[in-house]
Amino acid sequence: MNDLRELYQEVILDHSRQPRNFREESAASRKAEGYNPLCGDRVTVFLKLDGDVVKEATFQGSGCAISTASASLMTEALKGKTLDEARAIFHKFHDLITGGQSDSDLGPALGKLEAFSGVNQYPARAKCATLAWHTVNAALENAKAPVTTE
Ligand code: ZN
């Protein structure tokens, strides 16, 4: 279990230090901003959709290691997914973070997103880990108001 925890920590550190897809997508068809006042995390998510497939997912912003790593891993996870698949991943990830019971054999595989499984022991951190996801949700719903975790 300790080895797994170390591996998870490495994934989060890696993505917080070198976030993937950290840029503005000028051809984005969807965009939303999120803010977590509890921690001060800010994120802007850009999505380029082709029909109901996520062609590009990028983000910008500044925040703590957890929020940055979460946004980075999220953009990787979303690329190439349909909107239904994206929503399914979000629900499963949300369950993981909030400690809700979720049958790990059901639904989409979370892959590297499992690295955040330790976060459910730190409720304040859950908002950091889910900020980018709530923001993507808003982008998909085409919400106009900025997202806040409060
Ligand atoms: Zn944070």
Side-chain angles (χ1 to χ4, degrees), residues 36 38-42 62-68 124-125 127-129 131:
N36 173 17
L38 208 66
C39 180
D41 309 316
R42 287 182 188 280
S62 63
C64 65
I66 297 276
S67 70
T68 302
R125 286 311 204 182
K127 292 186 173 180
C128 302
L131 174 65

Side-chain angles (χ1 to χ4, degrees), residues 91-121:
H91 282 303
K92 198 165 173 190
F93 181 72
H94 195 267
D95 283 349
L96 176 80
I97 297 301
T98 55
Q101 280 305 310
S102 149
D103 191 332
S104 55
D105 293 335
L106 292 175
L110 288 180
K112 284 188 196 167
L113 295 172
E114 299 265 6
F116 293 94
S117 58
V119 169
N120 63 27
Q121 290 165 34

Side-chain angles (χ1 to χ4, degrees), residues 4-5 18 22 24-25 64 91 99 110-111 122 136 145 147:
L4 195 59
R5 183 142 293 178
Q18 291 180 295
F22 188 78
E24 182 173 342
E25 171 59 60
C64 65
H91 282 303
L110 288 180
Y122 309 93
V136 150
V147 177

